[in-house]
Amino acid sequence: MKKNLRSHFSIFVSHLLSLSLFLSFLNPALAQTKLLTMDEAMLGFKKELAPEKLKQMTWVKGCDDFSYVETRDKNEILVRASASSKLKMDVVSKDELNVLMRPVPKLKIGPDSLAAFPVIEWQNPSEFTFECRQSLWTYNLTKKTLVLTAGRGYRRGFEHVDSAPVTGYSAYTVKNNLYVLDGITDGVVTADTNINIVNGQSVHREEFGITKGTFWSPKGDKLAFYRMDQTMVEDYPIIDWTTKPAKVKNIKYPMAGQKSHAVTVGVYDTQTGTSVFLLTPKPEEDHYLTNIAWSPDQKHIYIAELNRNQNWMNLNSYNALNGKFEKTLFVESNEKYTEPLHPVLFVKNNPGNFVWQSRRDGWNHLYLYDLNGLLVRQLTSGQWEVTEVLGFDARGENLFFTSTKESPISNNVYSVHLKDGKIKRLTQGEGMHQAFFSESGSYFIDQFTGIHTPLETAVYSTEGKKLRVILNSSDPLKDYQLGQVKLFKLKNSGGPDLYCRMFLPIHFDSAKKYPVIVYQYGGPHVQLINSGWNYGCRDYWFQYMAEQGYVVFTLDPRGSGNRGQEFEQATFRKLGSCEMEDQLSGVKYLKSHSWVDSTRMGLFGWSFGGFMTCSIMTRYPGVFKAAVAGGPVIDWDYYEVMYTERYMDSPQENPKGYTDSNVLNYVDNLQGKLLLIHGTSDPVVVQQ
């Protein structure tokens, strides 16, 4: 059994390198006859064992219609449907688009240029665009014509493309400089020759909710952008294995306690072709510029600015025309850390008010402010988290959001009335909801998964009425023998209840003893346990291991997501400490059952979960017989500034915390088998 345990772990990890960290939950379907193969366990969720889903589901811009792609007789067809009625129509097929593309000269269009229906972007109710063969195409529904909008070479070499509203201009980068394509000419926004100065790209290692480096104004004629100076940051060598011989490629990687990069924000005017830079604090002063937002009138830019210690934040406004600082609307501080993740959201039809998300009362909630930074009212409150803001209704009177109001491991869609704060629940069912609202805010499409519901896609009015179900996906595992799945919580002596999930072996017999695999992550912003029926590699692999006679157990410890600030901040300055205590509470629970073989327990985790795996194996030796740690942080002193210093402070400020969490200080304690897996070119958890 020891050999099987290690070999199954190894096979799992070898397939897992390119897959998501996020976990999903399987339906305990009635046992049938089939057993999952390893290929099905690792790849089936992407192919034949994935619940049926409507491809490219999206709202049509400028109306309350939506579209998706259907497959019929091996041909993919774009379907358009009305939210307010049952009317739907076929728009155009992949084969028809291929025929329309052929006559275009010089592009050498073949009969199968589109192997699949292209990803489209609706421009208005009558037109959509897509890209093929490095060219941009526009299809007109009324005329049933396909026009080459931009010829061969369009976007060749372009990166970080960002299209503007209204004007349709495109911002893009080539190497480290920023350009704007206005449909005719390329506007050169920056011309830095120093390769360590980067324009128009994400900054601060994509922390604080930052995912890009360009921000169009509401009218699409002005562009705010990041400029990042990395000249002061140390080089880190990454090996490029694609060349012969392999070559060293240096990246800029600011490690905890070291000098970080300097960021400023520019504003480019497409009409004049000139830029100004906001007069934010001096670049050499360590700070973070996050959550950039434009005012509706395009006169102001709002930035959430943090100090390097991340324990205070100023929400500042700047003049978008001359770059001058205007005022600080309010300040947020926390003795441990504050972490803004969302920009200000101006109220629809009321530009004098905006909504701000904050955890200032211990839970992520919504606050309504005026332009002077005065709080109008707190819109939501309670011991639950707002997980996503979805938009306003047509009049801007109600704001829609998802939250954990009913349960920490479920979410639902709600509306809150901005004038009186009245909250209304719009969806039902214990599980996970993902909602997409129409441009008008009158309808939304809800994709719901529950413990016994693989996927239900339905159209709702924003009053919460389910108008119709578009698709009710059948269970792709209905013919397979599956182990029983239990979702439960444990009382924890070290703090609040801990949510867990356990897969029991097929034909479970409490008179027998079974080996156990514990899968873990345990880090910030990740929640592994929820009540949805999602499909993912881990769940299918967990079921495969249940076929092989293993118990598979997962627990979300303190420090993980969606449980409030106190739950998350319990790990502050001591990463790995209380997380291990909580995991060992799970081990204690497992050992309390006579059917658990405590001499044959295995542990697995990736990234932060890899750090946790190494920590438990060396600080609590003998608990687990074998373990696999993928991409683990071993010494936080070598991890990036923004993430590490938020949770640990700097090595200079918290030497004890860094020493206590350093796995190297415990390697002599290791017992059992530990397999370490790491990418030699990993630019996030660097191999050093």
Side-chain angles (χ1 to χ4, degrees), residues 5 7-13 16 26 36 38 40-42 503 517 519 536-547 552 604:
L5 179 61
S7 64
H8 284 306
F9 267 128
S10 301
I11 294 169
F12 176 42
V13 177
L16 202 61
L26 267 181
L36 287 167
M38 177 60 83
E40 289 173 331
M42 298 311 304
F503 291 75
I517 295 170
Y519 175 79
C537 64
R538 285 172 177 77
D539 295 287
Y540 283 29
W541 183 78
F542 293 159
Q543 284 287 11
Y544 175 83
M545 296 308 292
E547 288 180 5
V552 183
F604 175 76

PDB file of all heavy atoms in Angstrom, residues 5 7-13 16 26 36 38 40-42 503 517 519 536-547 552 604:
ATOM      1  N   LEU A   5       0.394   4.307  -2.588  1.00  0.00           N
ATOM      2  CA  LEU A   5       0.144   5.669  -2.136  1.00  0.00           C
ATOM      3  C   LEU A   5       1.088   6.637  -2.827  1.00  0.00           C
ATOM      4  O   LEU A   5       0.665   7.647  -3.393  1.00  0.00           O
ATOM      5  CB  LEU A   5       0.326   5.748  -0.615  1.00  0.00           C
ATOM      6  CG  LEU A   5       0.132   7.130   0.029  1.00  0.00           C
ATOM      7  CD1 LEU A   5      -1.277   7.629  -0.217  1.00  0.00           C
ATOM      8  CD2 LEU A   5       0.418   7.059   1.517  1.00  0.00           C
ATOM      9  N   SER A   7       2.858   6.131  -5.602  1.00  0.00           N
ATOM     10  CA  SER A   7       2.724   6.137  -7.057  1.00  0.00           C
ATOM     11  C   SER A   7       1.494   6.912  -7.493  1.00  0.00           C
ATOM     12  O   SER A   7       1.537   7.644  -8.475  1.00  0.00           O
ATOM     13  CB  SER A   7       2.664   4.705  -7.594  1.00  0.00           C
ATOM     14  OG  SER A   7       1.515   4.028  -7.121  1.00  0.00           O
ATOM     15  N   HIS A   8       0.396   6.794  -6.740  1.00  0.00           N
ATOM     16  CA  HIS A   8      -0.803   7.559  -7.103  1.00  0.00           C
ATOM     17  C   HIS A   8      -0.567   9.051  -6.923  1.00  0.00           C
ATOM     18  O   HIS A   8      -1.003   9.866  -7.741  1.00  0.00           O
ATOM     19  CB  HIS A   8      -1.997   7.111  -6.265  1.00  0.00           C
ATOM     20  CG  HIS A   8      -2.578   5.806  -6.711  1.00  0.00           C
ATOM     21  ND1 HIS A   8      -2.976   5.580  -7.995  1.00  0.00           N
ATOM     22  CD2 HIS A   8      -2.816   4.652  -6.031  1.00  0.00           C
ATOM     23  CE1 HIS A   8      -3.446   4.347  -8.104  1.00  0.00           C
ATOM     24  NE2 HIS A   8      -3.346   3.764  -6.930  1.00  0.00           N
ATOM     25  N   PHE A   9       0.123   9.426  -5.873  1.00  0.00           N
ATOM     26  CA  PHE A   9       0.472  10.832  -5.706  1.00  0.00           C
ATOM     27  C   PHE A   9       1.306  11.327  -6.875  1.00  0.00           C
ATOM     28  O   PHE A   9       1.079  12.400  -7.430  1.00  0.00           O
ATOM     29  CB  PHE A   9       1.272  11.033  -4.411  1.00  0.00           C
ATOM     30  CG  PHE A   9       0.428  11.396  -3.224  1.00  0.00           C
ATOM     31  CD1 PHE A   9       0.541  10.685  -2.045  1.00  0.00           C
ATOM     32  CD2 PHE A   9      -0.463  12.443  -3.297  1.00  0.00           C
ATOM     33  CE1 PHE A   9      -0.232  11.022  -0.955  1.00  0.00           C
ATOM     34  CE2 PHE A   9      -1.231  12.780  -2.214  1.00  0.00           C
ATOM     35  CZ  PHE A   9      -1.130  12.064  -1.029  1.00  0.00           C
ATOM     36  N   SER A  10       2.294  10.542  -7.282  1.00  0.00           N
ATOM     37  CA  SER A  10       3.199  10.964  -8.352  1.00  0.00           C
ATOM     38  C   SER A  10       2.449  11.133  -9.663  1.00  0.00           C
ATOM     39  O   SER A  10       2.645  12.107 -10.388  1.00  0.00           O
ATOM     40  CB  SER A  10       4.331   9.945  -8.522  1.00  0.00           C
ATOM     41  OG  SER A  10       5.057   9.808  -7.321  1.00  0.00           O
ATOM     42  N   ILE A  11       1.592  10.172  -9.976  1.00  0.00           N
ATOM     43  CA  ILE A  11       0.814  10.263 -11.220  1.00  0.00           C
ATOM     44  C   ILE A  11      -0.089  11.484 -11.186  1.00  0.00           C
ATOM     45  O   ILE A  11      -0.202  12.240 -12.146  1.00  0.00           O
ATOM     46  CB  ILE A  11      -0.010   8.981 -11.425  1.00  0.00           C
ATOM     47  CG1 ILE A  11       0.938   7.794 -11.658  1.00  0.00           C
ATOM     48  CG2 ILE A  11      -0.948   9.131 -12.610  1.00  0.00           C
ATOM     49  CD1 ILE A  11       0.239   6.449 -11.611  1.00  0.00           C
ATOM     50  N   PHE A  12      -0.725  11.698 -10.036  1.00  0.00           N
ATOM     51  CA  PHE A  12      -1.623  12.853  -9.895  1.00  0.00           C
ATOM     52  C   PHE A  12      -0.896  14.155 -10.169  1.00  0.00           C
ATOM     53  O   PHE A  12      -1.318  14.990 -10.966  1.00  0.00           O
ATOM     54  CB  PHE A  12      -2.203  12.856  -8.483  1.00  0.00           C
ATOM     55  CG  PHE A  12      -3.079  14.042  -8.168  1.00  0.00           C
ATOM     56  CD1 PHE A  12      -3.993  14.524  -9.089  1.00  0.00           C
ATOM     57  CD2 PHE A  12      -2.989  14.653  -6.943  1.00  0.00           C
ATOM     58  CE1 PHE A  12      -4.808  15.582  -8.794  1.00  0.00           C
ATOM     59  CE2 PHE A  12      -3.795  15.732  -6.637  1.00  0.00           C
ATOM     60  CZ  PHE A  12      -4.701  16.197  -7.562  1.00  0.00           C
ATOM     61  N   VAL A  13       0.255  14.334  -9.525  1.00  0.00           N
ATOM     62  CA  VAL A  13       0.971  15.584  -9.658  1.00  0.00           C
ATOM     63  C   VAL A  13       1.479  15.782 -11.070  1.00  0.00           C
ATOM     64  O   VAL A  13       1.458  16.887 -11.607  1.00  0.00           O
ATOM     65  CB  VAL A  13       2.128  15.656  -8.641  1.00  0.00           C
ATOM     66  CG1 VAL A  13       2.926  16.931  -8.828  1.00  0.00           C
ATOM     67  CG2 VAL A  13       1.580  15.606  -7.233  1.00  0.00           C
ATOM     68  N   LEU A  16      -1.056  17.291 -12.979  1.00  0.00           N
ATOM     69  CA  LEU A  16      -1.674  18.444 -12.348  1.00  0.00           C
ATOM     70  C   LEU A  16      -0.951  19.755 -12.584  1.00  0.00           C
ATOM     71  O   LEU A  16      -1.461  20.805 -12.257  1.00  0.00           O
ATOM     72  CB  LEU A  16      -1.751  18.182 -10.835  1.00  0.00           C
ATOM     73  CG  LEU A  16      -2.781  18.965 -10.034  1.00  0.00           C
ATOM     74  CD1 LEU A  16      -4.174  18.660 -10.529  1.00  0.00           C
ATOM     75  CD2 LEU A  16      -2.659  18.631  -8.568  1.00  0.00           C
ATOM     76  N   LEU A  26     -18.111  17.189  -5.960  1.00  0.00           N
ATOM     77  CA  LEU A  26     -18.797  16.190  -6.774  1.00  0.00           C
ATOM     78  C   LEU A  26     -20.151  15.785  -6.214  1.00  0.00           C
ATOM     79  O   LEU A  26     -20.339  15.705  -5.006  1.00  0.00           O
ATOM     80  CB  LEU A  26     -17.931  14.927  -6.864  1.00  0.00           C
ATOM     81  CG  LEU A  26     -16.999  14.843  -8.082  1.00  0.00           C
ATOM     82  CD1 LEU A  26     -16.252  13.543  -8.039  1.00  0.00           C
ATOM     83  CD2 LEU A  26     -17.783  14.956  -9.345  1.00  0.00           C
ATOM     84  N   LEU A  36     -13.939   4.969 -12.820  1.00  0.00           N
ATOM     85  CA  LEU A  36     -13.110   5.971 -13.477  1.00  0.00           C
ATOM     86  C   LEU A  36     -11.726   5.401 -13.778  1.00  0.00           C
ATOM     87  O   LEU A  36     -11.125   4.739 -12.939  1.00  0.00           O
ATOM     88  CB  LEU A  36     -12.949   7.201 -12.576  1.00  0.00           C
ATOM     89  CG  LEU A  36     -14.158   8.118 -12.417  1.00  0.00           C
ATOM     90  CD1 LEU A  36     -13.927   9.076 -11.264  1.00  0.00           C
ATOM     91  CD2 LEU A  36     -14.412   8.894 -13.704  1.00  0.00           C
ATOM     92  N   MET A  38      -7.686   6.395 -14.887  1.00  0.00           N
ATOM     93  CA  MET A  38      -6.819   7.516 -14.543  1.00  0.00           C
ATOM     94  C   MET A  38      -6.966   8.656 -15.554  1.00  0.00           C
ATOM     95  O   MET A  38      -7.015   9.832 -15.183  1.00  0.00           O
ATOM     96  CB  MET A  38      -5.359   7.057 -14.468  1.00  0.00           C
ATOM     97  CG  MET A  38      -4.378   8.195 -14.183  1.00  0.00           C
ATOM     98  SD  MET A  38      -4.714   9.037 -12.619  1.00  0.00           S
ATOM     99  CE  MET A  38      -3.894   7.925 -11.477  1.00  0.00           C
ATOM    100  N   GLU A  40      -9.598   9.429 -17.316  1.00  0.00           N
ATOM    101  CA  GLU A  40     -10.868  10.098 -17.049  1.00  0.00           C
ATOM    102  C   GLU A  40     -10.780  10.952 -15.797  1.00  0.00           C
ATOM    103  O   GLU A  40     -11.330  12.053 -15.734  1.00  0.00           O
ATOM    104  CB  GLU A  40     -11.983   9.061 -16.903  1.00  0.00           C
ATOM    105  CG  GLU A  40     -12.381   8.385 -18.202  1.00  0.00           C
ATOM    106  CD  GLU A  40     -13.378   7.256 -17.971  1.00  0.00           C
ATOM    107  OE1 GLU A  40     -13.337   6.644 -16.884  1.00  0.00           O
ATOM    108  OE2 GLU A  40     -14.181   6.990 -18.888  1.00  0.00           O
ATOM    109  N   ALA A  41     -10.081  10.449 -14.782  1.00  0.00           N
ATOM    110  CA  ALA A  41      -9.958  11.191 -13.531  1.00  0.00           C
ATOM    111  C   ALA A  41      -9.199  12.491 -13.724  1.00  0.00           C
ATOM    112  O   ALA A  41      -9.510  13.509 -13.093  1.00  0.00           O
ATOM    113  CB  ALA A  41      -9.257  10.330 -12.475  1.00  0.00           C
ATOM    114  N   MET A  42      -8.193  12.472 -14.605  1.00  0.00           N
ATOM    115  CA  MET A  42      -7.361  13.653 -14.776  1.00  0.00           C
ATOM    116  C   MET A  42      -7.820  14.567 -15.904  1.00  0.00           C
ATOM    117  O   MET A  42      -7.625  15.780 -15.835  1.00  0.00           O
ATOM    118  CB  MET A  42      -5.907  13.231 -15.035  1.00  0.00           C
ATOM    119  CG  MET A  42      -5.259  12.460 -13.891  1.00  0.00           C
ATOM    120  SD  MET A  42      -5.479  13.263 -12.282  1.00  0.00           S
ATOM    121  CE  MET A  42      -4.797  14.877 -12.614  1.00  0.00           C
ATOM    122  N   PHE A 503     -14.196  12.010   1.045  1.00  0.00           N
ATOM    123  CA  PHE A 503     -14.622  10.977   0.108  1.00  0.00           C
ATOM    124  C   PHE A 503     -14.345   9.626   0.762  1.00  0.00           C
ATOM    125  O   PHE A 503     -13.209   9.353   1.163  1.00  0.00           O
ATOM    126  CB  PHE A 503     -13.835  11.067  -1.198  1.00  0.00           C
ATOM    127  CG  PHE A 503     -14.137  12.282  -2.027  1.00  0.00           C
ATOM    128  CD1 PHE A 503     -13.648  13.522  -1.667  1.00  0.00           C
ATOM    129  CD2 PHE A 503     -14.894  12.182  -3.183  1.00  0.00           C
ATOM    130  CE1 PHE A 503     -13.911  14.645  -2.438  1.00  0.00           C
ATOM    131  CE2 PHE A 503     -15.172  13.295  -3.956  1.00  0.00           C
ATOM    132  CZ  PHE A 503     -14.677  14.536  -3.586  1.00  0.00           C
ATOM    133  N   ILE A 517      -5.661   9.957   2.358  1.00  0.00           N
ATOM    134  CA  ILE A 517      -4.934  11.045   1.712  1.00  0.00           C
ATOM    135  C   ILE A 517      -5.564  12.356   2.162  1.00  0.00           C
ATOM    136  O   ILE A 517      -6.779  12.553   2.038  1.00  0.00           O
ATOM    137  CB  ILE A 517      -5.002  10.947   0.175  1.00  0.00           C
ATOM    138  CG1 ILE A 517      -4.286   9.684  -0.298  1.00  0.00           C
ATOM    139  CG2 ILE A 517      -4.381  12.180  -0.471  1.00  0.00           C
ATOM    140  CD1 ILE A 517      -4.509   9.379  -1.756  1.00  0.00           C
ATOM    141  N   TYR A 519      -5.647  16.269   1.361  1.00  0.00           N
ATOM    142  CA  TYR A 519      -5.304  17.298   0.384  1.00  0.00           C
ATOM    143  C   TYR A 519      -5.516  18.662   1.026  1.00  0.00           C
ATOM    144  O   TYR A 519      -6.543  18.910   1.664  1.00  0.00           O
ATOM    145  CB  TYR A 519      -6.161  17.175  -0.883  1.00  0.00           C
ATOM    146  CG  TYR A 519      -5.897  18.297  -1.851  1.00  0.00           C
ATOM    147  CD1 TYR A 519      -4.777  18.261  -2.669  1.00  0.00           C
ATOM    148  CD2 TYR A 519      -6.739  19.401  -1.923  1.00  0.00           C
ATOM    149  CE1 TYR A 519      -4.507  19.300  -3.536  1.00  0.00           C
ATOM    150  CE2 TYR A 519      -6.467  20.444  -2.791  1.00  0.00           C
ATOM    151  CZ  TYR A 519      -5.354  20.394  -3.589  1.00  0.00           C
ATOM    152  OH  TYR A 519      -5.077  21.428  -4.440  1.00  0.00           O
ATOM    153  N   GLY A 536     -13.883  19.334 -11.693  1.00  0.00           N
ATOM    154  CA  GLY A 536     -12.484  19.699 -11.775  1.00  0.00           C
ATOM    155  C   GLY A 536     -11.621  18.484 -11.538  1.00  0.00           C
ATOM    156  O   GLY A 536     -12.071  17.454 -11.036  1.00  0.00           O
ATOM    157  N   CYS A 537     -10.344  18.628 -11.868  1.00  0.00           N
ATOM    158  CA  CYS A 537      -9.459  17.467 -11.833  1.00  0.00           C
ATOM    159  C   CYS A 537      -9.359  16.876 -10.435  1.00  0.00           C
ATOM    160  O   CYS A 537      -9.286  15.657 -10.272  1.00  0.00           O
ATOM    161  CB  CYS A 537      -8.085  17.853 -12.333  1.00  0.00           C
ATOM    162  SG  CYS A 537      -7.239  19.076 -11.307  1.00  0.00           S
ATOM    163  N   ARG A 538      -9.355  17.706  -9.410  1.00  0.00           N
ATOM    164  CA  ARG A 538      -9.151  17.155  -8.082  1.00  0.00           C
ATOM    165  C   ARG A 538     -10.305  16.257  -7.655  1.00  0.00           C
ATOM    166  O   ARG A 538     -10.097  15.186  -7.099  1.00  0.00           O
ATOM    167  CB  ARG A 538      -8.939  18.286  -7.081  1.00  0.00           C
ATOM    168  CG  ARG A 538      -7.556  18.898  -7.203  1.00  0.00           C
ATOM    169  CD  ARG A 538      -7.406  20.128  -6.346  1.00  0.00           C
ATOM    170  NE  ARG A 538      -6.051  20.621  -6.438  1.00  0.00           N
ATOM    171  CZ  ARG A 538      -5.575  21.304  -7.471  1.00  0.00           C
ATOM    172  NH1 ARG A 538      -6.362  21.556  -8.490  1.00  0.00           N
ATOM    173  NH2 ARG A 538      -4.334  21.720  -7.498  1.00  0.00           N
ATOM    174  N   ASP A 539     -11.533  16.705  -7.899  1.00  0.00           N
ATOM    175  CA  ASP A 539     -12.678  15.902  -7.472  1.00  0.00           C
ATOM    176  C   ASP A 539     -12.718  14.561  -8.194  1.00  0.00           C
ATOM    177  O   ASP A 539     -13.009  13.531  -7.589  1.00  0.00           O
ATOM    178  CB  ASP A 539     -13.979  16.660  -7.721  1.00  0.00           C
ATOM    179  CG  ASP A 539     -14.050  17.903  -6.876  1.00  0.00           C
ATOM    180  OD1 ASP A 539     -14.258  17.782  -5.666  1.00  0.00           O
ATOM    181  OD2 ASP A 539     -13.851  18.995  -7.421  1.00  0.00           O
ATOM    182  N   TYR A 540     -12.445  14.576  -9.477  1.00  0.00           N
ATOM    183  CA  TYR A 540     -12.454  13.324 -10.212  1.00  0.00           C
ATOM    184  C   TYR A 540     -11.316  12.429  -9.731  1.00  0.00           C
ATOM    185  O   TYR A 540     -11.461  11.215  -9.644  1.00  0.00           O
ATOM    186  CB  TYR A 540     -12.329  13.594 -11.718  1.00  0.00           C
ATOM    187  CG  TYR A 540     -13.616  14.068 -12.366  1.00  0.00           C
ATOM    188  CD1 TYR A 540     -14.560  14.790 -11.642  1.00  0.00           C
ATOM    189  CD2 TYR A 540     -13.892  13.790 -13.693  1.00  0.00           C
ATOM    190  CE1 TYR A 540     -15.722  15.231 -12.234  1.00  0.00           C
ATOM    191  CE2 TYR A 540     -15.057  14.224 -14.298  1.00  0.00           C
ATOM    192  CZ  TYR A 540     -15.974  14.947 -13.557  1.00  0.00           C
ATOM    193  OH  TYR A 540     -17.128  15.378 -14.144  1.00  0.00           O
ATOM    194  N   TRP A 541     -10.174  13.034  -9.448  1.00  0.00           N
ATOM    195  CA  TRP A 541      -9.059  12.241  -8.930  1.00  0.00           C
ATOM    196  C   TRP A 541      -9.360  11.728  -7.528  1.00  0.00           C
ATOM    197  O   TRP A 541      -9.025  10.602  -7.187  1.00  0.00           O
ATOM    198  CB  TRP A 541      -7.771  13.078  -8.922  1.00  0.00           C
ATOM    199  CG  TRP A 541      -6.582  12.299  -8.475  1.00  0.00           C
ATOM    200  CD1 TRP A 541      -5.860  11.393  -9.212  1.00  0.00           C
ATOM    201  CD2 TRP A 541      -5.982  12.311  -7.182  1.00  0.00           C
ATOM    202  NE1 TRP A 541      -4.839  10.863  -8.462  1.00  0.00           N
ATOM    203  CE2 TRP A 541      -4.888  11.409  -7.207  1.00  0.00           C
ATOM    204  CE3 TRP A 541      -6.251  13.002  -6.001  1.00  0.00           C
ATOM    205  CZ2 TRP A 541      -4.077  11.188  -6.100  1.00  0.00           C
ATOM    206  CZ3 TRP A 541      -5.440  12.783  -4.899  1.00  0.00           C
ATOM    207  CH2 TRP A 541      -4.368  11.879  -4.951  1.00  0.00           C
ATOM    208  N   PHE A 542     -10.024  12.555  -6.716  1.00  0.00           N
ATOM    209  CA  PHE A 542     -10.427  12.097  -5.385  1.00  0.00           C
ATOM    210  C   PHE A 542     -11.328  10.864  -5.503  1.00  0.00           C
ATOM    211  O   PHE A 542     -11.186   9.893  -4.752  1.00  0.00           O
ATOM    212  CB  PHE A 542     -11.171  13.200  -4.627  1.00  0.00           C
ATOM    213  CG  PHE A 542     -10.311  14.382  -4.274  1.00  0.00           C
ATOM    214  CD1 PHE A 542     -10.899  15.610  -3.995  1.00  0.00           C
ATOM    215  CD2 PHE A 542      -8.938  14.289  -4.209  1.00  0.00           C
ATOM    216  CE1 PHE A 542     -10.121  16.706  -3.656  1.00  0.00           C
ATOM    217  CE2 PHE A 542      -8.148  15.380  -3.873  1.00  0.00           C
ATOM    218  CZ  PHE A 542      -8.744  16.598  -3.597  1.00  0.00           C
ATOM    219  N   GLN A 543     -12.259  10.911  -6.439  1.00  0.00           N
ATOM    220  CA  GLN A 543     -13.146   9.766  -6.630  1.00  0.00           C
ATOM    221  C   GLN A 543     -12.365   8.552  -7.151  1.00  0.00           C
ATOM    222  O   GLN A 543     -12.648   7.413  -6.773  1.00  0.00           O
ATOM    223  CB  GLN A 543     -14.280  10.119  -7.596  1.00  0.00           C
ATOM    224  CG  GLN A 543     -15.365  10.984  -6.979  1.00  0.00           C
ATOM    225  CD  GLN A 543     -16.238  10.193  -5.998  1.00  0.00           C
ATOM    226  OE1 GLN A 543     -15.930   9.073  -5.614  1.00  0.00           O
ATOM    227  NE2 GLN A 543     -17.334  10.797  -5.572  1.00  0.00           N
ATOM    228  N   TYR A 544     -11.397   8.794  -8.012  1.00  0.00           N
ATOM    229  CA  TYR A 544     -10.558   7.699  -8.492  1.00  0.00           C
ATOM    230  C   TYR A 544      -9.835   7.044  -7.317  1.00  0.00           C
ATOM    231  O   TYR A 544      -9.747   5.810  -7.228  1.00  0.00           O
ATOM    232  CB  TYR A 544      -9.550   8.224  -9.519  1.00  0.00           C
ATOM    233  CG  TYR A 544      -8.555   7.181  -9.980  1.00  0.00           C
ATOM    234  CD1 TYR A 544      -8.883   6.286 -10.989  1.00  0.00           C
ATOM    235  CD2 TYR A 544      -7.296   7.091  -9.393  1.00  0.00           C
ATOM    236  CE1 TYR A 544      -7.980   5.312 -11.410  1.00  0.00           C
ATOM    237  CE2 TYR A 544      -6.385   6.128  -9.800  1.00  0.00           C
ATOM    238  CZ  TYR A 544      -6.731   5.244 -10.810  1.00  0.00           C
ATOM    239  OH  TYR A 544      -5.834   4.287 -11.213  1.00  0.00           O
ATOM    240  N   MET A 545      -9.309   7.854  -6.403  1.00  0.00           N
ATOM    241  CA  MET A 545      -8.610   7.296  -5.253  1.00  0.00           C
ATOM    242  C   MET A 545      -9.579   6.560  -4.325  1.00  0.00           C
ATOM    243  O   MET A 545      -9.206   5.554  -3.699  1.00  0.00           O
ATOM    244  CB  MET A 545      -7.873   8.397  -4.492  1.00  0.00           C
ATOM    245  CG  MET A 545      -6.757   9.053  -5.295  1.00  0.00           C
ATOM    246  SD  MET A 545      -5.581   7.868  -6.001  1.00  0.00           S
ATOM    247  CE  MET A 545      -4.802   7.252  -4.521  1.00  0.00           C
ATOM    248  N   ALA A 546     -10.819   7.037  -4.255  1.00  0.00           N
ATOM    249  CA  ALA A 546     -11.828   6.306  -3.482  1.00  0.00           C
ATOM    250  C   ALA A 546     -12.069   4.931  -4.095  1.00  0.00           C
ATOM    251  O   ALA A 546     -12.304   3.950  -3.380  1.00  0.00           O
ATOM    252  CB  ALA A 546     -13.128   7.109  -3.417  1.00  0.00           C
ATOM    253  N   GLU A 547     -11.986   4.842  -5.442  1.00  0.00           N
ATOM    254  CA  GLU A 547     -12.082   3.536  -6.103  1.00  0.00           C
ATOM    255  C   GLU A 547     -10.966   2.600  -5.650  1.00  0.00           C
ATOM    256  O   GLU A 547     -11.156   1.386  -5.526  1.00  0.00           O
ATOM    257  CB  GLU A 547     -11.962   3.699  -7.627  1.00  0.00           C
ATOM    258  CG  GLU A 547     -13.142   4.318  -8.313  1.00  0.00           C
ATOM    259  CD  GLU A 547     -12.902   4.410  -9.812  1.00  0.00           C
ATOM    260  OE1 GLU A 547     -11.854   3.892 -10.279  1.00  0.00           O
ATOM    261  OE2 GLU A 547     -13.734   4.998 -10.503  1.00  0.00           O
ATOM    262  N   VAL A 552     -10.277  10.210   1.256  1.00  0.00           N
ATOM    263  CA  VAL A 552      -9.661  11.477   0.861  1.00  0.00           C
ATOM    264  C   VAL A 552     -10.319  12.595   1.668  1.00  0.00           C
ATOM    265  O   VAL A 552     -11.546  12.738   1.664  1.00  0.00           O
ATOM    266  CB  VAL A 552      -9.821  11.741  -0.646  1.00  0.00           C
ATOM    267  CG1 VAL A 552      -9.104  13.028  -1.032  1.00  0.00           C
ATOM    268  CG2 VAL A 552      -9.272  10.570  -1.457  1.00  0.00           C
ATOM    269  N   PHE A 604      -0.842  15.924   0.669  1.00  0.00           N
ATOM    270  CA  PHE A 604      -0.537  16.539  -0.620  1.00  0.00           C
ATOM    271  C   PHE A 604      -0.962  17.995  -0.624  1.00  0.00           C
ATOM    272  O   PHE A 604      -2.013  18.354  -0.105  1.00  0.00           O
ATOM    273  CB  PHE A 604      -1.243  15.797  -1.758  1.00  0.00           C
ATOM    274  CG  PHE A 604      -1.061  16.469  -3.094  1.00  0.00           C
ATOM    275  CD1 PHE A 604       0.139  16.357  -3.785  1.00  0.00           C
ATOM    276  CD2 PHE A 604      -2.068  17.229  -3.648  1.00  0.00           C
ATOM    277  CE1 PHE A 604       0.316  16.996  -4.999  1.00  0.00           C
ATOM    278  CE2 PHE A 604      -1.895  17.864  -4.867  1.00  0.00           C
ATOM    279  CZ  PHE A 604      -0.698  17.749  -5.541  1.00  0.00           C
TER     280      PHE A 604
END
